[in-house]
Amino acid sequence: MSNSVQVKKSVCMGCHIHCKVEGHLTNGRLVRIEEDKAFPKAEAIRPIVRACPRARAFPDYVYHPDRIRFPLKRIGERGDGRWKEISWEEALDEIAAKLDDIRRRWGAEAIATAVGTARTHDEYRMRFLNLLGSPNNFGQGQICYGPGTMLSRAIYGWPDFYPAIGRTTRCVVILGGNPGQAARGLWHALLGAQQAGAKLIVVDPRRTSVAERADIWLQLRPGTDCALYLGMINVIIEEGLYDKTFVHNWCYGFDKLAERVKSYDLEKVARITWVSAQKIREAAELYARMKPGVIIHTMGVEHLGVNSIEALHARYILTAITGNIDIKGGEEMRGVHPLLVPQYEIELNDSLPPEQRAKQIGADRYKLLSKDGGALISQYAKSKVGTTHTTFAHAPSVFRAMLTGEPYPVRALLTVASNPLVTQPNTKLVYRAIKNLDLHVVQDFWMTPTAELADYVLPAATWLERYSIFNYDDTVEFVYAGEPIVPARVEGKHDHRPDYDLWRGLGVRLGQEEFWPWETLEEALSYRLKPLGFTSIADFIQRTGGIMIPPKEEKKYEKVGFGTPTGKVELYSTILEKLGYDPLPEYQEPAESPVSTPELAKEYYHSEWRQVEATRRERPYPIVQVNPKTASDLGISEGDWVWIETPMGRIRQKCQLFDGILPQVVNAEHGWWYPELPGEEPWLHGVWESNINVAINDEPQYCSSVSGGWTLRALLCRVYKAKSY
Ligand SMILES: Nc1nc2c(c(=O)[nH]1)N[C@H]1C(S)=C(S)[C@@H](COP(=O)(O)OP(=O)(O)OC[C@H]3O[C@@H](n4cnc5c(=O)[nH]c(N)nc54)[C@H](O)[C@@H]3O)O[C@H]1N2
Ligand SMILES: Nc1nc2c(c(=O)[nH]1)N[C@H]1C(S)=C(S)[C@@H](COP(=O)(O)OP(=O)(O)OC[C@H]3O[C@@H](n4cnc5c(=O)[nH]c(N)nc54)[C@H](O)[C@@H]3O)O[C@H]1N2
Ligand code: SF4
Ligand SMILES: [Mo]
């Protein structure tokens, strides 16, 4: 008998690369994920599926016996680990009734939502919350590209740049990024560019695989990026290496910038950063001379908390004064596809009444998050990009409100696609805050430590079981679409549903019915594609193969300008000035210095994948990297379990000796919990054992005063030998 073979097209949501993939099925069962061969291989966006350990393990992941199969309702106390299976309709009815009660007693703002790193259709969560009248949406975006996109919108009127690395690129600068492990698509683009002769500069306290390939590696003291970049700007201006025409026509505040950076002479910068003046000068000259150049900053900079916005500001100035904007092989300005209904429109941000928006927690202190900051940025940016800046509540402040009732009580939390008990700093506070709620709902694939503290746990459909559209959250004009590869619901076996079903299900039960005309995610996504001339998402996939990339125009700013108050790139930011902040970047000593976290094991994705055997086998334990000299002074050897301790608490990881890290610095992994340990309290799957966020502080002095972003790098700790398990 011959086997029936089927191929389905989708977009992998396994990580930020979002490869276009094909699911191969034999007799209806997923056997492997392959790259979509019909995918047009634009230079900077290659599928890298074959090299990806997670892609190989997806069949084990989607069919894993530990997945949640039906909605679960807690019986017993929260955290007891005792559950009863109920139907989706029962779960949604009960949750909606409880939310209705909380809304009546405390106001809609007492209901908050937490989300993770953009891998679901989050625009429907925003729609639900805006219609409900709560401004308290928060999540990981606040430290994961949120600071960068907020700031680039403020000073360029454009979302973050797209690194268009290609054959013409002559210089690539990687700031605090580890693409060899965390961004393989970028890694491959980089190798191609190097082969074609591009130069590479890497700024990282650790010798990563990309630092090993660098022409210049600046091994800086963690947390000092801002000073380093100001020093480089100083060199570029002093030596006249900036793009005079672009600066003259398109930059605002150059003279004030030149004045500011004068105090960042290389002797001083070398003292702050521990990088030699000579190397800093060489890096500045190389970047300014080898054009087009691309700067890519990732979490080493975004996670700097106190210094993050300042460092990002200096980083964007480097791109602007060298004129590397919107040119082929440089950093491109992109925007949403002109015909696609953008996520922004689905979110219905304008339907949140102003008096409710004004209650957004944290907005009074962290002004770039606030309604004023958001409105100011959006007013200018919208005219150019067509989308605006979505504001967030400040996560650490919302957890405090759950616990203390200040500035007002937050009584319910809906956590979707996130595991804050592991990924948010100050784990003890997060734990106590969640325990204090009237209602906690989690939608996930697995019983994570966070799900163990829920009242209801809803079984989510993975990207393999649902339709999807992807356009990097309205920041690029590509449209990718995917279809389900395996069924989400199998009678009697499991009833996984897309997150959309939660938001719509609650919306229609809470009086929002007229705003939810689409019964399913498939219908909702089809609506977004109709203006492009497709009858449905299935029609789009069938006729296009699931991808549309309109041609790219260079130097769009010559036609449309920049979406800022002055219509130029604001090196000197009039928006920051209006909000009461320093309009130019200035370095501050980090709250503490220095330990840096994390190094990402390539098999994992944050707190995910620890239950899948193939990936876990490759990295069974968390690893902390220690310089051999430091280890020998502390009596620690390779493979020892060591305590990593701060005044917040201590956790254990296994020591790896590594001479690519400075003796004063250690590097711990984040995202650790142990699915195999019991779920009930006090274990919570070992959340207190190796999770570095137990030891990280999130008080206001650890947060950026501009954006509220918390500090996950450049923190002080003590390391010493632990007993082995
Ligand atoms: N100390 C320290 N902390 C960090 C970091 C660090 O470097 N150091 N990194 C930070 C960064 S950059 C990020 S982005 C965050 C990540 O923070 P999180 O997003 O909270 O972490 P993940 O482990 O990705 O958790 C995602 C959860 O969502 C589930 N999930 C995945 N897709 C879906 C979906 O489509 N629907 C639903 N309902 N569930 C889904 C997964 O099973 C998983 O349990 O962590 C941050 N925390
Ligand atoms: N395999 C895998 N891939 C992933 C993820 C995953 O969990 N696993 N997560 C995804 C997500 S959400 C994100 S945000 C990205 C993260 O991707 P990246 O940002 O590329 O990776 P990280 O390891 O978080 O951090 C990058 C580098 O910052 C350095 N660093 C630490 N402190 C400093 C500092 O003070 N200054 C500078 N300049 N550098 C510093 C670290 O040594 C590290 O090499 O990866 C994505 N891809
Ligand atoms: S998990 Fe692997 S296959 Fe999926 S998007 Fe990331 S790199 Fe591509
Ligand atoms: Mo992230």
Side-chain angles (χ1 to χ4, degrees), residues 116-117 119-120 140 303 417-419 423 443-446 448 460 466 499 598 606-608 670 693 713:
T117 173
R119 280 175 301 158
T120 177
Q140 300 293 346
H303 287 174
S418 188
N419 188 5
T423 54
Q443 181 152 344
D444 205 303
F445 316 136
W446 319 96
T448 62
R466 56 171 158 85
D499 301 324
H606 298 297
S607 73
E608 271 198 85
H670 86 284
N693 282 325
R713 317 276 164 149

PDB file of all heavy atoms in Angstrom, residues 116-117 119-120 140 303 417-419 423 443-446 448 460 466 499 598 606-608 670 693 713, ligand 1:
ATOM      1  N   GLY A 116       4.360  37.515  25.561  1.00  0.00           N
ATOM      2  CA  GLY A 116       5.776  37.211  25.403  1.00  0.00           C
ATOM      3  C   GLY A 116       6.337  37.808  24.134  1.00  0.00           C
ATOM      4  O   GLY A 116       5.934  38.884  23.689  1.00  0.00           O
ATOM      5  N   THR A 117       7.235  37.078  23.537  1.00  0.00           N
ATOM      6  CA  THR A 117       7.991  37.589  22.425  1.00  0.00           C
ATOM      7  C   THR A 117       7.262  37.276  21.124  1.00  0.00           C
ATOM      8  O   THR A 117       7.213  36.141  20.697  1.00  0.00           O
ATOM      9  CB  THR A 117       9.419  37.020  22.496  1.00  0.00           C
ATOM     10  OG1 THR A 117      10.105  37.382  21.336  1.00  0.00           O
ATOM     11  CG2 THR A 117       9.441  35.517  22.649  1.00  0.00           C
ATOM     12  N   ARG A 119       5.028  36.030  18.954  1.00  0.00           N
ATOM     13  CA  ARG A 119       4.880  34.855  18.100  1.00  0.00           C
ATOM     14  C   ARG A 119       3.436  34.445  17.931  1.00  0.00           C
ATOM     15  O   ARG A 119       3.127  33.348  17.523  1.00  0.00           O
ATOM     16  CB  ARG A 119       5.718  33.704  18.636  1.00  0.00           C
ATOM     17  CG  ARG A 119       7.160  33.874  18.243  1.00  0.00           C
ATOM     18  CD  ARG A 119       8.017  32.835  18.855  1.00  0.00           C
ATOM     19  NE  ARG A 119       7.924  32.878  20.290  1.00  0.00           N
ATOM     20  CZ  ARG A 119       8.215  31.847  21.052  1.00  0.00           C
ATOM     21  NH1 ARG A 119       8.574  30.714  20.533  1.00  0.00           N
ATOM     22  NH2 ARG A 119       8.126  31.970  22.361  1.00  0.00           N
ATOM     23  N   THR A 120       2.524  35.337  18.303  1.00  0.00           N
ATOM     24  CA  THR A 120       1.128  35.007  18.172  1.00  0.00           C
ATOM     25  C   THR A 120       0.412  36.224  17.578  1.00  0.00           C
ATOM     26  O   THR A 120       1.057  37.222  17.302  1.00  0.00           O
ATOM     27  CB  THR A 120       0.561  34.576  19.541  1.00  0.00           C
ATOM     28  OG1 THR A 120      -0.825  34.321  19.425  1.00  0.00           O
ATOM     29  CG2 THR A 120       0.793  35.637  20.603  1.00  0.00           C
ATOM     30  N   GLN A 140       7.002  41.404  27.066  1.00  0.00           N
ATOM     31  CA  GLN A 140       8.446  41.357  26.858  1.00  0.00           C
ATOM     32  C   GLN A 140       8.907  42.335  25.796  1.00  0.00           C
ATOM     33  O   GLN A 140      10.093  42.653  25.715  1.00  0.00           O
ATOM     34  CB  GLN A 140       8.866  39.928  26.492  1.00  0.00           C
ATOM     35  CG  GLN A 140       8.535  38.901  27.556  1.00  0.00           C
ATOM     36  CD  GLN A 140       9.342  39.089  28.825  1.00  0.00           C
ATOM     37  OE1 GLN A 140      10.329  39.825  28.846  1.00  0.00           O
ATOM     38  NE2 GLN A 140       8.917  38.453  29.894  1.00  0.00           N
ATOM     39  N   HIS A 303      18.894  45.454  26.472  1.00  0.00           N
ATOM     40  CA  HIS A 303      18.715  45.030  27.871  1.00  0.00           C
ATOM     41  C   HIS A 303      19.534  45.839  28.864  1.00  0.00           C
ATOM     42  O   HIS A 303      19.691  45.412  30.003  1.00  0.00           O
ATOM     43  CB  HIS A 303      19.099  43.546  28.025  1.00  0.00           C
ATOM     44  CG  HIS A 303      18.098  42.609  27.418  1.00  0.00           C
ATOM     45  ND1 HIS A 303      18.304  41.253  27.338  1.00  0.00           N
ATOM     46  CD2 HIS A 303      16.881  42.822  26.872  1.00  0.00           C
ATOM     47  CE1 HIS A 303      17.262  40.666  26.760  1.00  0.00           C
ATOM     48  NE2 HIS A 303      16.385  41.604  26.463  1.00  0.00           N
ATOM     49  N   ALA A 417       1.123  33.321  25.787  1.00  0.00           N
ATOM     50  CA  ALA A 417       2.395  33.183  25.076  1.00  0.00           C
ATOM     51  C   ALA A 417       3.549  33.797  25.858  1.00  0.00           C
ATOM     52  O   ALA A 417       4.425  34.433  25.292  1.00  0.00           O
ATOM     53  CB  ALA A 417       2.305  33.782  23.667  1.00  0.00           C
ATOM     54  N   SER A 418       3.540  33.618  27.138  1.00  0.00           N
ATOM     55  CA  SER A 418       4.631  34.137  27.961  1.00  0.00           C
ATOM     56  C   SER A 418       4.766  33.301  29.233  1.00  0.00           C
ATOM     57  O   SER A 418       3.801  32.678  29.670  1.00  0.00           O
ATOM     58  CB  SER A 418       4.363  35.595  28.328  1.00  0.00           C
ATOM     59  OG  SER A 418       5.494  36.150  28.971  1.00  0.00           O
ATOM     60  N   ASN A 419       5.958  33.369  29.804  1.00  0.00           N
ATOM     61  CA  ASN A 419       6.249  32.589  31.007  1.00  0.00           C
ATOM     62  C   ASN A 419       6.945  33.504  32.019  1.00  0.00           C
ATOM     63  O   ASN A 419       8.105  33.306  32.355  1.00  0.00           O
ATOM     64  CB  ASN A 419       7.138  31.410  30.581  1.00  0.00           C
ATOM     65  CG  ASN A 419       7.351  30.408  31.682  1.00  0.00           C
ATOM     66  OD1 ASN A 419       6.768  30.509  32.763  1.00  0.00           O
ATOM     67  ND2 ASN A 419       8.201  29.432  31.419  1.00  0.00           N
ATOM     68  N   THR A 423      10.814  34.450  32.917  1.00  0.00           N
ATOM     69  CA  THR A 423      11.468  35.416  32.023  1.00  0.00           C
ATOM     70  C   THR A 423      11.457  36.856  32.524  1.00  0.00           C
ATOM     71  O   THR A 423      12.148  37.703  31.979  1.00  0.00           O
ATOM     72  CB  THR A 423      10.840  35.361  30.624  1.00  0.00           C
ATOM     73  OG1 THR A 423       9.427  35.544  30.740  1.00  0.00           O
ATOM     74  CG2 THR A 423      11.122  34.049  29.949  1.00  0.00           C
ATOM     75  N   GLN A 443      -2.795  30.944  28.716  1.00  0.00           N
ATOM     76  CA  GLN A 443      -2.947  30.121  27.511  1.00  0.00           C
ATOM     77  C   GLN A 443      -1.553  29.768  27.024  1.00  0.00           C
ATOM     78  O   GLN A 443      -0.722  30.644  26.768  1.00  0.00           O
ATOM     79  CB  GLN A 443      -3.749  30.853  26.419  1.00  0.00           C
ATOM     80  CG  GLN A 443      -3.928  29.976  25.167  1.00  0.00           C
ATOM     81  CD  GLN A 443      -5.174  30.286  24.358  1.00  0.00           C
ATOM     82  OE1 GLN A 443      -6.086  30.952  24.836  1.00  0.00           O
ATOM     83  NE2 GLN A 443      -5.231  29.787  23.128  1.00  0.00           N
ATOM     84  N   ASP A 444      -1.276  28.473  26.915  1.00  0.00           N
ATOM     85  CA  ASP A 444       0.072  28.000  26.549  1.00  0.00           C
ATOM     86  C   ASP A 444      -0.057  26.590  25.987  1.00  0.00           C
ATOM     87  O   ASP A 444      -1.143  26.021  25.973  1.00  0.00           O
ATOM     88  CB  ASP A 444       1.003  28.025  27.787  1.00  0.00           C
ATOM     89  CG  ASP A 444       2.474  28.146  27.398  1.00  0.00           C
ATOM     90  OD1 ASP A 444       2.969  27.295  26.640  1.00  0.00           O
ATOM     91  OD2 ASP A 444       3.129  29.095  27.859  1.00  0.00           O
ATOM     92  N   PHE A 445       1.081  26.042  25.558  1.00  0.00           N
ATOM     93  CA  PHE A 445       1.083  24.644  25.079  1.00  0.00           C
ATOM     94  C   PHE A 445       1.368  23.684  26.226  1.00  0.00           C
ATOM     95  O   PHE A 445       1.049  22.519  26.164  1.00  0.00           O
ATOM     96  CB  PHE A 445       2.185  24.423  24.035  1.00  0.00           C
ATOM     97  CG  PHE A 445       2.293  25.510  22.997  1.00  0.00           C
ATOM     98  CD1 PHE A 445       3.529  26.012  22.619  1.00  0.00           C
ATOM     99  CD2 PHE A 445       1.154  26.018  22.395  1.00  0.00           C
ATOM    100  CE1 PHE A 445       3.628  27.001  21.657  1.00  0.00           C
ATOM    101  CE2 PHE A 445       1.252  27.012  21.431  1.00  0.00           C
ATOM    102  CZ  PHE A 445       2.494  27.502  21.064  1.00  0.00           C
ATOM    103  N   TRP A 446       2.064  24.215  27.252  1.00  0.00           N
ATOM    104  CA  TRP A 446       2.613  23.369  28.307  1.00  0.00           C
ATOM    105  C   TRP A 446       2.235  23.911  29.667  1.00  0.00           C
ATOM    106  O   TRP A 446       1.940  25.089  29.815  1.00  0.00           O
ATOM    107  CB  TRP A 446       4.154  23.374  28.259  1.00  0.00           C
ATOM    108  CG  TRP A 446       4.758  23.314  26.912  1.00  0.00           C
ATOM    109  CD1 TRP A 446       5.190  24.368  26.161  1.00  0.00           C
ATOM    110  CD2 TRP A 446       5.003  22.146  26.125  1.00  0.00           C
ATOM    111  NE1 TRP A 446       5.693  23.917  24.970  1.00  0.00           N
ATOM    112  CE2 TRP A 446       5.590  22.562  24.913  1.00  0.00           C
ATOM    113  CE3 TRP A 446       4.787  20.769  26.335  1.00  0.00           C
ATOM    114  CZ2 TRP A 446       5.969  21.668  23.918  1.00  0.00           C
ATOM    115  CZ3 TRP A 446       5.162  19.888  25.343  1.00  0.00           C
ATOM    116  CH2 TRP A 446       5.740  20.331  24.148  1.00  0.00           C
ATOM    117  N   THR A 448       3.741  25.381  32.267  1.00  0.00           N
ATOM    118  CA  THR A 448       4.962  26.086  32.663  1.00  0.00           C
ATOM    119  C   THR A 448       4.843  26.449  34.145  1.00  0.00           C
ATOM    120  O   THR A 448       3.752  26.349  34.718  1.00  0.00           O
ATOM    121  CB  THR A 448       5.096  27.383  31.861  1.00  0.00           C
ATOM    122  OG1 THR A 448       3.954  28.200  32.185  1.00  0.00           O
ATOM    123  CG2 THR A 448       5.134  27.131  30.367  1.00  0.00           C
ATOM    124  N   ALA A 460      -3.254  26.077  23.905  1.00  0.00           N
ATOM    125  CA  ALA A 460      -3.074  26.887  22.696  1.00  0.00           C
ATOM    126  C   ALA A 460      -2.740  26.010  21.498  1.00  0.00           C
ATOM    127  O   ALA A 460      -2.096  24.968  21.636  1.00  0.00           O
ATOM    128  CB  ALA A 460      -1.955  27.893  22.918  1.00  0.00           C
ATOM    129  N   ARG A 466      -2.500  26.329  13.070  1.00  0.00           N
ATOM    130  CA  ARG A 466      -3.372  27.468  12.791  1.00  0.00           C
ATOM    131  C   ARG A 466      -2.888  28.260  11.569  1.00  0.00           C
ATOM    132  O   ARG A 466      -1.741  28.122  11.141  1.00  0.00           O
ATOM    133  CB  ARG A 466      -3.449  28.396  13.999  1.00  0.00           C
ATOM    134  CG  ARG A 466      -2.107  28.909  14.484  1.00  0.00           C
ATOM    135  CD  ARG A 466      -2.289  29.989  15.549  1.00  0.00           C
ATOM    136  NE  ARG A 466      -1.158  30.190  16.406  1.00  0.00           N
ATOM    137  CZ  ARG A 466      -0.109  30.974  16.147  1.00  0.00           C
ATOM    138  NH1 ARG A 466      -0.028  31.630  15.020  1.00  0.00           N
ATOM    139  NH2 ARG A 466       0.869  31.093  17.016  1.00  0.00           N
ATOM    140  N   ASP A 499      -4.944  31.600  19.978  1.00  0.00           N
ATOM    141  CA  ASP A 499      -5.180  32.631  20.990  1.00  0.00           C
ATOM    142  C   ASP A 499      -6.347  33.538  20.594  1.00  0.00           C
ATOM    143  O   ASP A 499      -7.045  34.083  21.450  1.00  0.00           O
ATOM    144  CB  ASP A 499      -3.896  33.447  21.210  1.00  0.00           C
ATOM    145  CG  ASP A 499      -2.743  32.562  21.670  1.00  0.00           C
ATOM    146  OD1 ASP A 499      -3.002  31.613  22.429  1.00  0.00           O
ATOM    147  OD2 ASP A 499      -1.600  32.782  21.242  1.00  0.00           O
ATOM    148  N   PRO A 598      22.281  36.843  28.948  1.00  0.00           N
ATOM    149  CA  PRO A 598      22.614  35.449  29.013  1.00  0.00           C
ATOM    150  C   PRO A 598      23.322  35.038  27.737  1.00  0.00           C
ATOM    151  O   PRO A 598      23.409  35.788  26.791  1.00  0.00           O
ATOM    152  CB  PRO A 598      21.233  34.820  29.010  1.00  0.00           C
ATOM    153  CG  PRO A 598      20.503  35.662  28.002  1.00  0.00           C
ATOM    154  CD  PRO A 598      21.127  37.031  28.057  1.00  0.00           C
ATOM    155  N   HIS A 606      14.416  30.833  24.839  1.00  0.00           N
ATOM    156  CA  HIS A 606      14.103  31.326  26.189  1.00  0.00           C
ATOM    157  C   HIS A 606      13.755  30.168  27.122  1.00  0.00           C
ATOM    158  O   HIS A 606      14.556  29.284  27.320  1.00  0.00           O
ATOM    159  CB  HIS A 606      12.992  32.372  26.138  1.00  0.00           C
ATOM    160  CG  HIS A 606      13.377  33.563  25.346  1.00  0.00           C
ATOM    161  ND1 HIS A 606      14.410  34.369  25.700  1.00  0.00           N
ATOM    162  CD2 HIS A 606      12.891  34.055  24.192  1.00  0.00           C
ATOM    163  CE1 HIS A 606      14.545  35.326  24.801  1.00  0.00           C
ATOM    164  NE2 HIS A 606      13.636  35.158  23.887  1.00  0.00           N
ATOM    165  N   SER A 607      12.499  30.181  27.652  1.00  0.00           N
ATOM    166  CA  SER A 607      12.147  29.136  28.619  1.00  0.00           C
ATOM    167  C   SER A 607      11.503  27.931  27.941  1.00  0.00           C
ATOM    168  O   SER A 607      11.001  27.040  28.598  1.00  0.00           O
ATOM    169  CB  SER A 607      11.194  29.720  29.666  1.00  0.00           C
ATOM    170  OG  SER A 607       9.915  29.928  29.116  1.00  0.00           O
ATOM    171  N   GLU A 608      11.517  27.913  26.621  1.00  0.00           N
ATOM    172  CA  GLU A 608      10.814  26.847  25.898  1.00  0.00           C
ATOM    173  C   GLU A 608      11.710  25.650  25.594  1.00  0.00           C
ATOM    174  O   GLU A 608      12.925  25.746  25.679  1.00  0.00           O
ATOM    175  CB  GLU A 608      10.332  27.398  24.554  1.00  0.00           C
ATOM    176  CG  GLU A 608       8.982  28.024  24.597  1.00  0.00           C
ATOM    177  CD  GLU A 608       8.430  28.113  23.185  1.00  0.00           C
ATOM    178  OE1 GLU A 608       7.851  27.127  22.734  1.00  0.00           O
ATOM    179  OE2 GLU A 608       8.630  29.158  22.557  1.00  0.00           O
ATOM    180  N   HIS A 670      19.697  32.469  30.925  1.00  0.00           N
ATOM    181  CA  HIS A 670      18.375  32.713  31.503  1.00  0.00           C
ATOM    182  C   HIS A 670      17.400  31.664  30.956  1.00  0.00           C
ATOM    183  O   HIS A 670      17.740  30.871  30.085  1.00  0.00           O
ATOM    184  CB  HIS A 670      17.893  34.135  31.192  1.00  0.00           C
ATOM    185  CG  HIS A 670      17.208  34.271  29.877  1.00  0.00           C
ATOM    186  ND1 HIS A 670      17.894  34.282  28.700  1.00  0.00           N
ATOM    187  CD2 HIS A 670      15.909  34.372  29.549  1.00  0.00           C
ATOM    188  CE1 HIS A 670      17.043  34.401  27.701  1.00  0.00           C
ATOM    189  NE2 HIS A 670      15.827  34.443  28.178  1.00  0.00           N
ATOM    190  N   ASN A 693      16.627  35.003  36.870  1.00  0.00           N
ATOM    191  CA  ASN A 693      15.787  36.159  37.201  1.00  0.00           C
ATOM    192  C   ASN A 693      15.391  36.202  38.679  1.00  0.00           C
ATOM    193  O   ASN A 693      14.945  37.235  39.165  1.00  0.00           O
ATOM    194  CB  ASN A 693      14.561  36.206  36.292  1.00  0.00           C
ATOM    195  CG  ASN A 693      14.937  36.749  34.919  1.00  0.00           C
ATOM    196  OD1 ASN A 693      15.794  37.620  34.825  1.00  0.00           O
ATOM    197  ND2 ASN A 693      14.329  36.222  33.874  1.00  0.00           N
ATOM    198  N   ARG A 713      21.397  43.104  31.888  1.00  0.00           N
ATOM    199  CA  ARG A 713      22.846  42.919  31.668  1.00  0.00           C
ATOM    200  C   ARG A 713      23.561  43.853  32.629  1.00  0.00           C
ATOM    201  O   ARG A 713      22.976  44.812  33.122  1.00  0.00           O
ATOM    202  CB  ARG A 713      23.247  43.319  30.240  1.00  0.00           C
ATOM    203  CG  ARG A 713      22.327  42.853  29.158  1.00  0.00           C
ATOM    204  CD  ARG A 713      22.628  41.441  28.731  1.00  0.00           C
ATOM    205  NE  ARG A 713      21.487  40.930  27.988  1.00  0.00           N
ATOM    206  CZ  ARG A 713      21.561  40.042  27.013  1.00  0.00           C
ATOM    207  NH1 ARG A 713      22.729  39.565  26.660  1.00  0.00           N
ATOM    208  NH2 ARG A 713      20.481  39.606  26.422  1.00  0.00           N
TER     209      ARG A 713
HETATM  210  N1  LIG B   1      17.586  37.389  32.701  1.00  0.00           N
HETATM  211  C1  LIG B   1      17.099  37.498  31.460  1.00  0.00           C
HETATM  212  N2  LIG B   1      15.755  37.498  31.269  1.00  0.00           N
HETATM  213  C2  LIG B   1      15.270  37.604  30.018  1.00  0.00           C
HETATM  214  C3  LIG B   1      16.126  37.716  28.900  1.00  0.00           C
HETATM  215  C4  LIG B   1      17.525  37.728  29.126  1.00  0.00           C
HETATM  216  O1  LIG B   1      18.320  37.844  28.183  1.00  0.00           O
HETATM  217  N3  LIG B   1      17.955  37.620  30.397  1.00  0.00           N
HETATM  218  N4  LIG B   1      15.584  37.825  27.630  1.00  0.00           N
HETATM  219  C5  LIG B   1      14.333  38.520  27.561  1.00  0.00           C
HETATM  220  C6  LIG B   1      13.765  38.484  26.184  1.00  0.00           C
HETATM  221  S1  LIG B   1      14.660  39.206  24.919  1.00  0.00           S
HETATM  222  C7  LIG B   1      12.557  37.955  25.918  1.00  0.00           C
HETATM  223  S2  LIG B   1      11.899  38.117  24.349  1.00  0.00           S
HETATM  224  C8  LIG B   1      11.781  37.309  26.974  1.00  0.00           C
HETATM  225  C9  LIG B   1      10.957  36.105  26.522  1.00  0.00           C
HETATM  226  O2  LIG B   1       9.963  35.932  27.481  1.00  0.00           O
HETATM  227  P1  LIG B   1       8.722  34.984  27.242  1.00  0.00           P
HETATM  228  O3  LIG B   1       8.075  35.302  25.961  1.00  0.00           O
HETATM  229  O4  LIG B   1       7.904  35.051  28.483  1.00  0.00           O
HETATM  230  O5  LIG B   1       9.485  33.592  27.160  1.00  0.00           O
HETATM  231  P2  LIG B   1       9.280  32.292  26.322  1.00  0.00           P
HETATM  232  O6  LIG B   1      10.078  31.235  26.973  1.00  0.00           O
HETATM  233  O7  LIG B   1       9.518  32.555  24.888  1.00  0.00           O
HETATM  234  O8  LIG B   1       7.769  31.983  26.676  1.00  0.00           O
HETATM  235  C10 LIG B   1       6.832  31.873  25.764  1.00  0.00           C
HETATM  236  C11 LIG B   1       5.750  30.912  26.284  1.00  0.00           C
HETATM  237  O9  LIG B   1       4.699  31.029  25.363  1.00  0.00           O
HETATM  238  C12 LIG B   1       4.352  29.762  24.816  1.00  0.00           C
HETATM  239  N5  LIG B   1       3.977  30.034  23.433  1.00  0.00           N
HETATM  240  C13 LIG B   1       4.760  30.130  22.341  1.00  0.00           C
HETATM  241  N6  LIG B   1       4.011  30.442  21.251  1.00  0.00           N
HETATM  242  C14 LIG B   1       2.727  30.577  21.684  1.00  0.00           C
HETATM  243  C15 LIG B   1       1.496  30.899  21.043  1.00  0.00           C
HETATM  244  O10 LIG B   1       1.415  31.120  19.835  1.00  0.00           O
HETATM  245  N7  LIG B   1       0.382  30.977  21.847  1.00  0.00           N
HETATM  246  C16 LIG B   1       0.432  30.728  23.180  1.00  0.00           C
HETATM  247  N8  LIG B   1      -0.672  30.860  23.890  1.00  0.00           N
HETATM  248  N9  LIG B   1       1.584  30.374  23.795  1.00  0.00           N
HETATM  249  C17 LIG B   1       2.708  30.314  23.064  1.00  0.00           C
HETATM  250  C18 LIG B   1       5.553  28.880  25.027  1.00  0.00           C
HETATM  251  O11 LIG B   1       5.160  27.546  25.195  1.00  0.00           O
HETATM  252  C19 LIG B   1       6.196  29.468  26.289  1.00  0.00           C
HETATM  253  O12 LIG B   1       5.765  28.831  27.445  1.00  0.00           O
HETATM  254  O13 LIG B   1      12.621  36.920  28.061  1.00  0.00           O
HETATM  255  C20 LIG B   1      13.304  38.018  28.577  1.00  0.00           C
HETATM  256  N10 LIG B   1      13.917  37.632  29.834  1.00  0.00           N
END
